[in-house]
Amino acid sequence: MSGDVRGEASAVDVKKVVLYILLVFILYSIITSPDRSAELVGIGFEGISGAAKGVGTFMTELVN
């Protein structure tokens, strides 16, 4: 049974390490190239907005 607990703890540790590495990479990218980072965030928000509009249009047509 202790093998299962170690496996779960190991998986959590790996997730933490990957999360920290991702966070450091994001911060590094923002610090070294803030203009490009702002552009990418804008593109992301445009994509989310487009998807939300599409869902709204779909739901409206579904109701009608």
Side-chain angles (χ1 to χ4, degrees), residues 10-49:
S10 176
V12 171
D13 291 341
V14 170
K15 287 180 183 179
K16 283 183 182 179
V17 169
V18 170
L19 181 63
Y20 289 137
I21 290 172
L22 184 62
L23 181 63
V24 168
F25 175 73
I26 290 170
L27 289 174
Y28 173 79
S29 298
I30 291 171
I31 291 169
T32 58
S33 181
D35 293 336
R36 178 70 176 143
S37 298
E39 182 182 327
L40 291 174
V41 169
I43 291 170
F45 281 135
E46 286 177 13
I48 292 170
S49 174

